[in-house]
Amino acid sequence: MPVSVTVKSDGVLEQVRANLAKLPQWYPAIIRTHLPRLGERIVEVMRNTVEPNRYTGGLSDSITSQYDDGEQSVAIFPTVERGQYDGGLILELGTIPIIFAPYEPIAAWADFRGIPARPVWWKIRIEGVTAHPFLQATLEASESLIDETGRRIVTDMADSVLTGAGKVSV
């Protein structure tokens, strides 16, 4: 005797299908809520990461986040320049020797650190600025924030699929 199984959804599956069809309407609002907040939180992480290399605070103060609604992405980065060069890249990668390194800013930095300026200035002229990578450290220190944001996005999406409310948690 053949076995027959019947599933009755009482309209639930149809409602889920209808809610999924509305995804383009509610999904951007979820991303627009969570990614900019994630960016703001990672800005603080990056500022803490560069703090051991602080001099004037210009690099730390310049760290910002930018949310791109079209790409649905957030970028976190410093904007400070050292002369014509990107201050963040100098800290991250270091430099080649800077033969005409200006003495005054280096002397001010050395004075801030309580060390003699001339050997630092000479080292920069002969060897360059030592790299102090901070991007990977920032990413690693932000993993829990990224995971938490991902969970919030998925939870909001699941709620919207099941209820159709398009709710956004904070």
Side-chain angles (χ1 to χ4, degrees):
M1 167 185 261
V3 176
S4 173
V5 176
T6 304
V7 176
K8 291 188 179 183
S9 73
D10 295 332
V12 172
L13 294 177
E14 291 78 11
Q15 187 59 50
V16 166
R17 184 177 319 133
N19 293 343
L20 276 172
K22 295 177 187 172
L23 180 132
Q25 296 168 9
W26 51 258
Y27 174 75
I30 292 172
I31 299 301
R32 206 174 288 123
T33 297
H34 292 292
L35 284 188
R37 286 186 182 155
L38 174 63
E40 292 166 8
R41 294 173 77 188
I42 295 176
V43 163
E44 291 307 313
V45 173
M46 187 177 283
R47 285 181 177 157
N48 290 335
T49 304
V50 302
E51 185 63 27
N53 299 296
R54 181 180 184 84
Y55 163 49
T56 65
L59 179 70
S60 179
D61 292 346
S62 80
I63 296 172
T64 188
S65 66
Q66 283 184 348
Y67 173 69
D68 184 326
D69 199 35
E71 294 290 323
Q72 295 181 335
S73 65
V74 65
I76 300 94
F77 53 92
T79 60
V80 73
E81 293 185 358
R82 303 285 187 231
Q84 64 194 34
Y85 302 100
D86 182 314
L89 283 178
I90 291 173
L91 185 62
E92 177 73 16
L93 303 174
T95 68
I96 60 173
I98 304 171
I99 297 170
F100 298 108
Y103 184 79
E104 291 78 21
I106 295 167
W109 178 89
D111 185 54
F112 176 78
R113 295 283 176 191
I115 58 177
R118 192 158 188 78
V120 174
W121 174 72
W122 188 253
K123 185 236 175 241
I124 291 171
R125 290 188 67 203
I126 302 304
E127 298 175 23
V129 174
T130 303
H132 296 283
F134 65 96
L135 295 175
Q136 185 65 35
T138 299
L139 181 61
E140 289 170 3
S142 300
E143 282 182 21
S144 64
L145 297 174
I146 295 166
D147 290 346
E148 176 188 330
T149 300
R151 280 191 296 278
R152 287 177 187 259
I153 289 170
V154 169
T155 299
D156 286 352
M157 289 176 62
D159 184 59
S160 294
V161 167
L162 296 175
T163 66
K167 288 191 234 175
V168 178
S169 65
V170 281

